[in-house]
Amino acid sequence: MPETIWWKTGTVYQVYPRSFQDTNGDGVGDLPGITARLEHLAWLGVDAVWISPFYRSPMADFGYDVADYRAVDPLFGTLEDFDALIAEAHRRKLKVILDFVPNHSSIAHPWFVESRASRENPKRDWYLWRDPAPDGGPPNNWLSNFGGPAWTRDEASGQYYYHAFLAEQPDLNWRNPEVRAAMHDVLRFWLERGVDGFRVDVIWHLIKDEGFRDNPQNPDFAPHQPGINRFSQVYSCDRPEVIEVISGMRAVLREFGERVLIGEIYLPVERLVTYYGPDLEAADLPFNFQLLETPWQADAVAALVAEYEAALPEGGWPNWVLGNHDRPRIAARVGDAQARVAAMLLLTLRGTPTLYYGDEIGLGHVPIPPDRVQDPWERNEPGHGRDPVRTPMQWDDSRHAGFSAVEPWLPQTEDAERRNVDAMRDDSRSILTLYRRLLSLRRDHPALSVGGWRSVPLPPSLATEVFAYERFEGDETLRILLNFGSAERSIPLEDDAAKQETWSVLLSTRPGRAGEATGNVLHLSPDEGVVLRAHPSS
Ligand code: GLC
């Protein structure tokens, strides 16, 4: 029985609200801007939009430091703007997923202001306060993900508070039932407004070791890595008790029917899959970021997909991510030609794909001049900043690419006059057209959206360059061949004499090949990917 739940069959599209569309002329995107551009998402053929945080915030970490979980920051608009956005999205059959940031609040959140007021304050235990070590230094060796210690001393009380990220982002104490209850009410607040699910920020961080033990040294630490990697994060995150916390959130979502809980989790595959929960009652989709971390080589990616497929618990639904607001853009990482292969990979693997805004026009990295750096991480640890992947969307060839009437908060690509939605929309060779065709193929073929997956073995000389697999459902079999290399390759197609199948091209990353019938050998151009359809030969 094929799966039909929307978050299994659909595709998610991430919008970074600062960078999608500015409507009030301040150079920063806003909620009315997202509403105005929903037509693009409907046209492209995605099913859900995940919006990074737009809550009231001092913006120390661009909204991932929340001062009021129930309010829209004036920079982005109002609650009425949000209601209009969700109504418009639902009218177009698009689901809306919010970014929920429960691990830490802003220091400006009233909960923290109270918690900090005194050791006796009823909200003291809502955050993680500890006495100094005997030498007066931080309570343990935990480091901040953005550089430096993860503990900041509060002069008034003499205690330290823990922050996995900036000192402006104190971690909440999820062992405290009052915190859980308050956060569950936040979820209900948005669910009642009609949201279809949440992407939960750093979900594997929510529970820390009860004894706050020191993290062990990481023997593999290399100096080019961020400082946090000096230690293995064994005690500061990924603690077993976190699964129960996630199940608690999921139970709140289920009060409202079929809503989705996506968890942000950077862990190796064998740890990642535990976040489905022992009885699949934790995260619906533990975000799978493996493609962001694996070298871009056919054999490495093939091994990764096989490993992930094998590791999934029974009934656990897979998912794949190629880019987000924290990691290098795919087009910058692999180049324009391979970005097309990557698009085909993402949209033909088994499981829910998540697209990052701008990847559909092949946005690369934009160099950020020192005087325009925004990301606090770049200031703390130069070279690790995320501004280059957060540059404003490019809609047309007007000044500022249709994003804003004024100079945007971050620069745009130098080729914005050509690299924009308007210019690529009707160009049959553009990456935008390829994305749209892939999305429509995914909709039209249950083999792609809900079907099974199996790898297709290739001779060793080919397997280093080409990744081959099949998707199948009912009578339909599709075979996907992706050339990660820059040489032409000839792929034998008859590996199963009993089946005697013939094949035709459904879609190629190279324009103009669709419909072509293949013989026993398929010639793949450099950097070409194809989706073939099997025809039983009579
Ligand atoms: C997540 C977000 C990232 C943010 C961090 C702290 O990793 O994706 O952008 O800086 O959490 O909230």
Side-chain angles (χ1 to χ4, degrees):
M1 174 71 184
E3 298 281 358
T4 49
I5 295 171
W6 67 269
W7 54 263
K8 294 188 176 178
T9 55
T11 299
V12 178
Y13 181 102
Q14 180 190 357
V15 164
Y16 194 66
R18 295 181 70 89
S19 293
F20 207 53
Q21 178 67 54
D22 174 23
T23 60
N24 64 349
D26 60 2
V28 175
D30 43 49
L31 294 185
I34 299 173
T35 307
R37 293 297 187 181
L38 288 174
E39 180 52 34
H40 171 68
L41 304 191
W43 171 84
L44 189 60
V46 299
D47 301 273
V49 52
W50 150 35
I51 310 172
S52 286
F54 50 76
Y55 313 107
R56 190 183 290 277
S57 163
M59 304 289 165
D61 186 21
F62 295 105
Y64 283 96
D65 49 321
V66 180
D68 184 345
Y69 286 97
R70 299 166 189 238
V72 174
D73 194 276
L75 184 70
F76 295 119
T78 62
L79 218 41
E80 289 68 48
D81 292 330
F82 176 76
D83 290 339
L85 189 165
I86 205 163
E88 227 2 70
H90 285 166
R91 197 175 66 74
R92 290 167 197 275
K93 307 248 178 305
L94 290 166
K95 305 284 184 185
V96 177
I97 299 170
L98 296 199
D99 209 316
F100 182 48
V101 192
N103 178 67
H104 43 266
S105 72
S106 159
I107 38 168
H109 197 292
W111 297 341
F112 188 72
V113 174
E114 275 195 53
S115 183
R116 170 178 233 172
S118 77
R119 290 191 188 212
E120 290 72 41
N121 188 281
K123 291 222 165 43
R124 187 66 169 183
D125 184 52
W126 280 41
Y127 292 83
L128 299 166
W129 293 97
R130 285 293 172 281
D131 287 330
D135 67 356
N140 67 16
N141 72 357
W142 296 359
L143 295 177
S144 157
N145 282 268
F146 290 150
W151 295 93
T152 291
R153 192 179 144 96
D154 179 54
E155 292 310 324
S157 68
Q159 283 192 311
Y160 283 84
Y161 68 89
Y162 175 68
H163 49 88
F165 295 89
L166 298 173
E168 290 87 346
Q169 295 168 291
D171 279 43
L172 281 144
N173 177 14
W174 272 83
R175 291 184 190 268
N176 183 325
E178 291 176 17
V179 169
R180 294 188 194 188
M183 282 300 198
H184 288 177
D185 282 347
V186 170
L187 292 172
R188 291 189 187 98
F189 173 84
W190 293 104
L191 289 162
E192 276 157 14
R193 294 197 108 81
V195 312
D196 301 287
F198 296 90
R199 169 270 189 191
V200 185
D201 193 59
V202 295
I203 207 166
W204 84 112
H205 275 256
L206 290 177
I207 295 283
K208 293 65 161 145
D209 179 47
E210 203 153 22
F212 286 82
R213 283 171 279 182
D214 277 350
N215 279 324
Q217 295 274 353
N218 170 11
D220 302 325
F221 177 69
H224 69 270
Q225 294 176 350
I228 179 91
N229 292 350
R230 282 179 189 284
F231 299 98
S232 303
Q233 311 299 300
V234 173
Y235 294 117
S236 47
C237 44
D238 191 27
R239 303 304 303 165
E241 303 97 308
V242 75
I243 298 299
E244 189 228 321
V245 172
I246 300 172
S247 307
M249 286 183 195
R250 231 263 308 253
V252 175
L253 265 65
R254 290 295 191 266
E255 290 167 16
F256 294 80
E258 204 44 70
R259 316 284 167 114
V260 70
L261 192 155
I262 306 175
E264 186 202 18
I265 302 162
Y266 285 95
L267 288 174
V269 169
E270 77 272 10
R271 292 297 314 143
L272 174 66
V273 295
T274 65
Y275 281 74
Y276 287 97
D279 300 309
L280 297 186
E281 82 296 348
D284 294 308
L285 299 175
F287 250 154
N288 169 10
F289 297 128
Q290 304 301 315
L291 287 176
L292 303 176
E293 322 225 309
T294 302
W296 198 252
Q297 290 155 11
D299 43 3
V301 172
L304 158 69
V305 177
E307 181 197 1
Y308 179 68
E309 281 281 347
L312 286 167
E314 178 148 13
W317 187 252
N319 77 91
W320 295 96
V321 179
L322 260 189
N324 63 34
H325 63 294
D326 296 323
R327 293 294 162 129
R329 284 234 180 230
I330 185 69
R333 234 181 100 205
V334 305
D336 278 339
Q338 280 296 314
R340 301 171 72 95
V341 173
M344 185 169 274
L345 173 73
L346 176 72
L347 293 170
T348 57
L349 283 174
R350 189 173 80 91
T352 309
T354 299
L355 306 186
Y356 183 46
Y357 87 92
D359 281 351
E360 76 271 38
I361 55 169
L363 271 193
H365 284 181
V366 182
I368 311 294
D371 62 332
R372 292 194 68 177
V373 166
Q374 303 276 346
D375 188 2
W377 192 2
E378 181 68 20
R379 297 207 187 91
N380 293 352
E381 296 192 299
H384 295 294
R386 299 158 294 176
D387 294 331
V389 312
R390 297 174 173 181
T391 63
M393 185 60 178
Q394 301 175 172
W395 298 105
D396 59 39
D397 64 2
S398 66
R399 196 140 183 253
H400 313 309
F403 166 72
S404 175
V406 302
E407 182 63 32
W409 74 293
L410 283 173
Q412 292 166 298
T413 67
E414 267 180 8
D415 61 357
E417 233 170 78
R418 278 172 293 120
R419 191 178 292 283
N420 63 65
V421 171
D422 243 18
M424 293 180 156
R425 243 182 112 99
D426 299 319
D427 177 354
S428 62
R429 295 156 309 160
S430 73
I431 187 165
L432 180 60
T433 299
L434 176 65
Y435 262 103
R436 190 158 178 255
R437 288 192 178 143
L438 281 163
L439 283 159
S440 117
L441 206 64
R442 208 178 156 88
R443 273 177 188 228
D444 293 347
H445 293 267
L448 288 178
S449 55
V450 296
W453 177 91
R454 67 182 158 235
S455 91
V456 174
L458 292 176
S461 60
L462 281 173
T464 53
E465 302 292 329
V466 177
F467 180 21
Y469 51 94
E470 286 182 348
R471 302 295 315 279
F472 50 93
E473 173 64 31
D475 292 341
E476 185 169 62
T477 299
L478 304 178
R479 183 175 292 187
I480 293 94
L481 299 162
L482 304 173
N483 188 354
F484 281 61
S486 50
E488 187 179 303
R489 300 282 160 182
S490 300
I491 319 289
L493 291 176
E494 292 297 339
D495 56 17
D496 183 347
K499 276 207 224 148
Q500 284 294 312
E501 287 153 336
T502 62
W503 300 86
S504 67
V505 177
L506 254 187
L507 183 62
S508 165
T509 58
R510 223 182 79 203
R513 263 195 109 167
E516 193 182 301
T518 69
N520 290 354
V521 171
L522 178 89
H523 297 289
L524 265 186
S525 299
D527 306 303
E528 182 182 12
V530 294
V531 181
L532 304 178
R533 170 197 245 162
H535 306 273
S537 57
S538 39

PDB file of all heavy atoms in Angstrom, residues 61 64-65 99 101 104 146 165 169 199 201-202 204 264 266 325-326 386 390, ligand 1:
ATOM      1  N   ASP A  61      21.668  36.193  16.536  1.00  0.00           N
ATOM      2  CA  ASP A  61      21.922  35.092  15.601  1.00  0.00           C
ATOM      3  C   ASP A  61      20.801  35.053  14.558  1.00  0.00           C
ATOM      4  O   ASP A  61      20.266  34.014  14.218  1.00  0.00           O
ATOM      5  CB  ASP A  61      22.028  33.754  16.360  1.00  0.00           C
ATOM      6  CG  ASP A  61      22.442  32.594  15.458  1.00  0.00           C
ATOM      7  OD1 ASP A  61      23.020  32.848  14.382  1.00  0.00           O
ATOM      8  OD2 ASP A  61      22.187  31.431  15.832  1.00  0.00           O
ATOM      9  N   TYR A  64      17.563  33.188  15.483  1.00  0.00           N
ATOM     10  CA  TYR A  64      17.689  31.952  16.258  1.00  0.00           C
ATOM     11  C   TYR A  64      17.952  32.275  17.735  1.00  0.00           C
ATOM     12  O   TYR A  64      18.420  31.438  18.502  1.00  0.00           O
ATOM     13  CB  TYR A  64      18.766  31.034  15.668  1.00  0.00           C
ATOM     14  CG  TYR A  64      18.264  30.323  14.412  1.00  0.00           C
ATOM     15  CD1 TYR A  64      18.538  30.820  13.149  1.00  0.00           C
ATOM     16  CD2 TYR A  64      17.486  29.177  14.508  1.00  0.00           C
ATOM     17  CE1 TYR A  64      18.058  30.174  12.006  1.00  0.00           C
ATOM     18  CE2 TYR A  64      17.001  28.535  13.376  1.00  0.00           C
ATOM     19  CZ  TYR A  64      17.293  29.033  12.128  1.00  0.00           C
ATOM     20  OH  TYR A  64      16.806  28.398  11.017  1.00  0.00           O
ATOM     21  N   ASP A  65      17.647  33.527  18.104  1.00  0.00           N
ATOM     22  CA  ASP A  65      17.705  33.970  19.500  1.00  0.00           C
ATOM     23  C   ASP A  65      16.349  34.639  19.761  1.00  0.00           C
ATOM     24  O   ASP A  65      16.153  35.799  19.453  1.00  0.00           O
ATOM     25  CB  ASP A  65      18.879  34.938  19.724  1.00  0.00           C
ATOM     26  CG  ASP A  65      18.958  36.057  18.698  1.00  0.00           C
ATOM     27  OD1 ASP A  65      18.697  35.814  17.491  1.00  0.00           O
ATOM     28  OD2 ASP A  65      19.258  37.201  19.088  1.00  0.00           O
ATOM     29  N   ASP A  99       9.939  27.168  11.997  1.00  0.00           N
ATOM     30  CA  ASP A  99      11.192  26.818  12.651  1.00  0.00           C
ATOM     31  C   ASP A  99      10.971  27.038  14.141  1.00  0.00           C
ATOM     32  O   ASP A  99      10.638  28.139  14.566  1.00  0.00           O
ATOM     33  CB  ASP A  99      12.287  27.761  12.126  1.00  0.00           C
ATOM     34  CG  ASP A  99      13.660  27.135  12.141  1.00  0.00           C
ATOM     35  OD1 ASP A  99      13.992  26.499  13.158  1.00  0.00           O
ATOM     36  OD2 ASP A  99      14.399  27.313  11.161  1.00  0.00           O
ATOM     37  N   VAL A 101      12.573  26.941  17.921  1.00  0.00           N
ATOM     38  CA  VAL A 101      13.926  27.044  18.480  1.00  0.00           C
ATOM     39  C   VAL A 101      13.861  26.838  20.000  1.00  0.00           C
ATOM     40  O   VAL A 101      13.934  27.797  20.774  1.00  0.00           O
ATOM     41  CB  VAL A 101      14.553  28.417  18.135  1.00  0.00           C
ATOM     42  CG1 VAL A 101      16.050  28.415  18.447  1.00  0.00           C
ATOM     43  CG2 VAL A 101      14.319  28.766  16.670  1.00  0.00           C
ATOM     44  N   HIS A 104      17.308  27.022  23.138  1.00  0.00           N
ATOM     45  CA  HIS A 104      17.793  28.239  23.795  1.00  0.00           C
ATOM     46  C   HIS A 104      16.862  29.380  23.434  1.00  0.00           C
ATOM     47  O   HIS A 104      16.206  29.354  22.393  1.00  0.00           O
ATOM     48  CB  HIS A 104      19.211  28.567  23.325  1.00  0.00           C
ATOM     49  CG  HIS A 104      19.394  28.401  21.839  1.00  0.00           C
ATOM     50  ND1 HIS A 104      19.870  27.235  21.271  1.00  0.00           N
ATOM     51  CD2 HIS A 104      19.136  29.221  20.801  1.00  0.00           C
ATOM     52  CE1 HIS A 104      19.912  27.355  19.965  1.00  0.00           C
ATOM     53  NE2 HIS A 104      19.457  28.547  19.644  1.00  0.00           N
ATOM     54  N   PHE A 146      29.972  28.481  18.373  1.00  0.00           N
ATOM     55  CA  PHE A 146      30.407  29.668  17.631  1.00  0.00           C
ATOM     56  C   PHE A 146      31.761  30.187  18.137  1.00  0.00           C
ATOM     57  O   PHE A 146      32.109  31.336  17.938  1.00  0.00           O
ATOM     58  CB  PHE A 146      29.353  30.774  17.730  1.00  0.00           C
ATOM     59  CG  PHE A 146      28.088  30.486  16.966  1.00  0.00           C
ATOM     60  CD1 PHE A 146      26.864  30.992  17.390  1.00  0.00           C
ATOM     61  CD2 PHE A 146      28.107  29.724  15.800  1.00  0.00           C
ATOM     62  CE1 PHE A 146      25.688  30.742  16.681  1.00  0.00           C
ATOM     63  CE2 PHE A 146      26.947  29.467  15.082  1.00  0.00           C
ATOM     64  CZ  PHE A 146      25.730  29.979  15.530  1.00  0.00           C
ATOM     65  N   PHE A 165      25.514  28.058  21.949  1.00  0.00           N
ATOM     66  CA  PHE A 165      25.832  28.955  20.832  1.00  0.00           C
ATOM     67  C   PHE A 165      26.350  30.274  21.419  1.00  0.00           C
ATOM     68  O   PHE A 165      27.243  30.260  22.255  1.00  0.00           O
ATOM     69  CB  PHE A 165      24.624  29.073  19.893  1.00  0.00           C
ATOM     70  CG  PHE A 165      24.338  27.742  19.235  1.00  0.00           C
ATOM     71  CD1 PHE A 165      23.488  26.815  19.831  1.00  0.00           C
ATOM     72  CD2 PHE A 165      24.981  27.380  18.070  1.00  0.00           C
ATOM     73  CE1 PHE A 165      23.284  25.559  19.266  1.00  0.00           C
ATOM     74  CE2 PHE A 165      24.791  26.125  17.488  1.00  0.00           C
ATOM     75  CZ  PHE A 165      23.934  25.219  18.088  1.00  0.00           C
ATOM     76  N   GLN A 169      22.426  33.510  23.684  1.00  0.00           N
ATOM     77  CA  GLN A 169      21.475  32.406  23.458  1.00  0.00           C
ATOM     78  C   GLN A 169      21.570  31.367  24.586  1.00  0.00           C
ATOM     79  O   GLN A 169      22.048  30.251  24.373  1.00  0.00           O
ATOM     80  CB  GLN A 169      21.770  31.721  22.106  1.00  0.00           C
ATOM     81  CG  GLN A 169      21.549  32.616  20.895  1.00  0.00           C
ATOM     82  CD  GLN A 169      22.130  32.004  19.609  1.00  0.00           C
ATOM     83  OE1 GLN A 169      23.337  31.897  19.465  1.00  0.00           O
ATOM     84  NE2 GLN A 169      21.268  31.605  18.700  1.00  0.00           N
ATOM     85  N   ARG A 199      10.109  22.477  12.011  1.00  0.00           N
ATOM     86  CA  ARG A 199      11.503  22.026  11.926  1.00  0.00           C
ATOM     87  C   ARG A 199      12.096  22.473  13.252  1.00  0.00           C
ATOM     88  O   ARG A 199      12.057  23.658  13.589  1.00  0.00           O
ATOM     89  CB  ARG A 199      12.166  22.688  10.725  1.00  0.00           C
ATOM     90  CG  ARG A 199      13.698  22.524  10.631  1.00  0.00           C
ATOM     91  CD  ARG A 199      14.423  23.639  11.344  1.00  0.00           C
ATOM     92  NE  ARG A 199      15.857  23.605  11.088  1.00  0.00           N
ATOM     93  CZ  ARG A 199      16.748  24.328  11.758  1.00  0.00           C
ATOM     94  NH1 ARG A 199      16.368  25.145  12.716  1.00  0.00           N
ATOM     95  NH2 ARG A 199      18.006  24.257  11.460  1.00  0.00           N
ATOM     96  N   ASP A 201      14.916  23.230  15.787  1.00  0.00           N
ATOM     97  CA  ASP A 201      16.324  23.630  15.789  1.00  0.00           C
ATOM     98  C   ASP A 201      17.142  22.781  16.774  1.00  0.00           C
ATOM     99  O   ASP A 201      16.692  22.531  17.903  1.00  0.00           O
ATOM    100  CB  ASP A 201      16.377  25.111  16.207  1.00  0.00           C
ATOM    101  CG  ASP A 201      17.717  25.756  15.946  1.00  0.00           C
ATOM    102  OD1 ASP A 201      18.145  25.768  14.785  1.00  0.00           O
ATOM    103  OD2 ASP A 201      18.330  26.267  16.904  1.00  0.00           O
ATOM    104  N   VAL A 202      18.328  22.389  16.355  1.00  0.00           N
ATOM    105  CA  VAL A 202      19.304  21.615  17.154  1.00  0.00           C
ATOM    106  C   VAL A 202      18.644  20.656  18.166  1.00  0.00           C
ATOM    107  O   VAL A 202      18.960  20.649  19.349  1.00  0.00           O
ATOM    108  CB  VAL A 202      20.362  22.516  17.851  1.00  0.00           C
ATOM    109  CG1 VAL A 202      21.227  23.214  16.808  1.00  0.00           C
ATOM    110  CG2 VAL A 202      19.787  23.547  18.798  1.00  0.00           C
ATOM    111  N   TRP A 204      18.996  17.628  18.817  1.00  0.00           N
ATOM    112  CA  TRP A 204      19.820  16.648  19.551  1.00  0.00           C
ATOM    113  C   TRP A 204      20.578  17.284  20.732  1.00  0.00           C
ATOM    114  O   TRP A 204      21.243  16.617  21.500  1.00  0.00           O
ATOM    115  CB  TRP A 204      20.749  15.916  18.594  1.00  0.00           C
ATOM    116  CG  TRP A 204      22.056  16.545  18.207  1.00  0.00           C
ATOM    117  CD1 TRP A 204      23.293  16.087  18.565  1.00  0.00           C
ATOM    118  CD2 TRP A 204      22.289  17.686  17.371  1.00  0.00           C
ATOM    119  NE1 TRP A 204      24.269  16.890  18.008  1.00  0.00           N
ATOM    120  CE2 TRP A 204      23.677  17.872  17.273  1.00  0.00           C
ATOM    121  CE3 TRP A 204      21.455  18.595  16.686  1.00  0.00           C
ATOM    122  CZ2 TRP A 204      24.268  18.913  16.541  1.00  0.00           C
ATOM    123  CZ3 TRP A 204      22.021  19.630  15.955  1.00  0.00           C
ATOM    124  CH2 TRP A 204      23.404  19.778  15.887  1.00  0.00           C
ATOM    125  N   GLU A 264      16.380  18.954  13.413  1.00  0.00           N
ATOM    126  CA  GLU A 264      17.731  19.264  12.916  1.00  0.00           C
ATOM    127  C   GLU A 264      18.741  18.446  13.718  1.00  0.00           C
ATOM    128  O   GLU A 264      18.854  18.614  14.930  1.00  0.00           O
ATOM    129  CB  GLU A 264      18.043  20.755  13.066  1.00  0.00           C
ATOM    130  CG  GLU A 264      19.376  21.095  12.414  1.00  0.00           C
ATOM    131  CD  GLU A 264      20.041  22.367  12.926  1.00  0.00           C
ATOM    132  OE1 GLU A 264      19.695  22.858  14.020  1.00  0.00           O
ATOM    133  OE2 GLU A 264      20.940  22.862  12.240  1.00  0.00           O
ATOM    134  N   TYR A 266      22.773  16.901  13.403  1.00  0.00           N
ATOM    135  CA  TYR A 266      24.049  16.607  12.737  1.00  0.00           C
ATOM    136  C   TYR A 266      24.733  15.485  13.497  1.00  0.00           C
ATOM    137  O   TYR A 266      25.419  15.721  14.484  1.00  0.00           O
ATOM    138  CB  TYR A 266      24.939  17.853  12.704  1.00  0.00           C
ATOM    139  CG  TYR A 266      24.498  18.872  11.672  1.00  0.00           C
ATOM    140  CD1 TYR A 266      23.677  19.933  12.021  1.00  0.00           C
ATOM    141  CD2 TYR A 266      24.902  18.753  10.350  1.00  0.00           C
ATOM    142  CE1 TYR A 266      23.258  20.856  11.073  1.00  0.00           C
ATOM    143  CE2 TYR A 266      24.496  19.676   9.389  1.00  0.00           C
ATOM    144  CZ  TYR A 266      23.676  20.723   9.764  1.00  0.00           C
ATOM    145  OH  TYR A 266      23.267  21.625   8.820  1.00  0.00           O
ATOM    146  N   HIS A 325      20.762  27.026   5.355  1.00  0.00           N
ATOM    147  CA  HIS A 325      21.328  28.348   5.650  1.00  0.00           C
ATOM    148  C   HIS A 325      22.605  28.291   6.467  1.00  0.00           C
ATOM    149  O   HIS A 325      23.137  29.335   6.847  1.00  0.00           O
ATOM    150  CB  HIS A 325      20.263  29.178   6.372  1.00  0.00           C
ATOM    151  CG  HIS A 325      19.894  28.573   7.697  1.00  0.00           C
ATOM    152  ND1 HIS A 325      19.252  27.358   7.806  1.00  0.00           N
ATOM    153  CD2 HIS A 325      20.104  28.981   8.961  1.00  0.00           C
ATOM    154  CE1 HIS A 325      19.089  27.062   9.069  1.00  0.00           C
ATOM    155  NE2 HIS A 325      19.588  28.034   9.798  1.00  0.00           N
ATOM    156  N   ASP A 326      23.071  27.083   6.803  1.00  0.00           N
ATOM    157  CA  ASP A 326      24.276  26.937   7.616  1.00  0.00           C
ATOM    158  C   ASP A 326      25.441  26.319   6.844  1.00  0.00           C
ATOM    159  O   ASP A 326      26.567  26.343   7.327  1.00  0.00           O
ATOM    160  CB  ASP A 326      23.991  26.020   8.817  1.00  0.00           C
ATOM    161  CG  ASP A 326      22.966  26.608   9.773  1.00  0.00           C
ATOM    162  OD1 ASP A 326      22.982  27.835   9.977  1.00  0.00           O
ATOM    163  OD2 ASP A 326      22.151  25.832  10.321  1.00  0.00           O
ATOM    164  N   ARG A 386      28.420  32.205   7.702  1.00  0.00           N
ATOM    165  CA  ARG A 386      27.411  31.648   6.809  1.00  0.00           C
ATOM    166  C   ARG A 386      26.761  32.675   5.886  1.00  0.00           C
ATOM    167  O   ARG A 386      25.840  32.353   5.133  1.00  0.00           O
ATOM    168  CB  ARG A 386      26.341  30.939   7.657  1.00  0.00           C
ATOM    169  CG  ARG A 386      26.930  29.792   8.486  1.00  0.00           C
ATOM    170  CD  ARG A 386      26.088  29.413   9.678  1.00  0.00           C
ATOM    171  NE  ARG A 386      26.038  30.504  10.658  1.00  0.00           N
ATOM    172  CZ  ARG A 386      25.309  30.470  11.767  1.00  0.00           C
ATOM    173  NH1 ARG A 386      24.574  29.413  12.030  1.00  0.00           N
ATOM    174  NH2 ARG A 386      25.316  31.490  12.606  1.00  0.00           N
ATOM    175  N   ARG A 390      23.555  32.909   2.415  1.00  0.00           N
ATOM    176  CA  ARG A 390      22.279  33.514   2.828  1.00  0.00           C
ATOM    177  C   ARG A 390      21.943  34.747   2.004  1.00  0.00           C
ATOM    178  O   ARG A 390      21.154  35.589   2.426  1.00  0.00           O
ATOM    179  CB  ARG A 390      22.362  33.903   4.306  1.00  0.00           C
ATOM    180  CG  ARG A 390      22.560  32.720   5.224  1.00  0.00           C
ATOM    181  CD  ARG A 390      22.774  33.137   6.667  1.00  0.00           C
ATOM    182  NE  ARG A 390      22.792  31.962   7.538  1.00  0.00           N
ATOM    183  CZ  ARG A 390      22.943  32.006   8.858  1.00  0.00           C
ATOM    184  NH1 ARG A 390      23.096  33.180   9.464  1.00  0.00           N
ATOM    185  NH2 ARG A 390      22.935  30.905   9.569  1.00  0.00           N
TER     186      ARG A 390
HETATM  187  C1  GLC B   1      20.837  25.842  14.100  1.00  0.00           C
HETATM  188  C2  GLC B   1      20.486  26.847  13.048  1.00  0.00           C
HETATM  189  C3  GLC B   1      21.597  27.850  12.962  1.00  0.00           C
HETATM  190  C4  GLC B   1      21.677  28.545  14.306  1.00  0.00           C
HETATM  191  C5  GLC B   1      21.880  27.539  15.431  1.00  0.00           C
HETATM  192  C6  GLC B   1      21.640  28.137  16.758  1.00  0.00           C
HETATM  193  O1  GLC B   1      21.945  25.085  13.769  1.00  0.00           O
HETATM  194  O2  GLC B   1      20.258  26.207  11.833  1.00  0.00           O
HETATM  195  O3  GLC B   1      21.388  28.783  11.950  1.00  0.00           O
HETATM  196  O4  GLC B   1      22.721  29.477  14.305  1.00  0.00           O
HETATM  197  O5  GLC B   1      20.992  26.467  15.327  1.00  0.00           O
HETATM  198  O6  GLC B   1      20.261  28.366  16.937  1.00  0.00           O
END
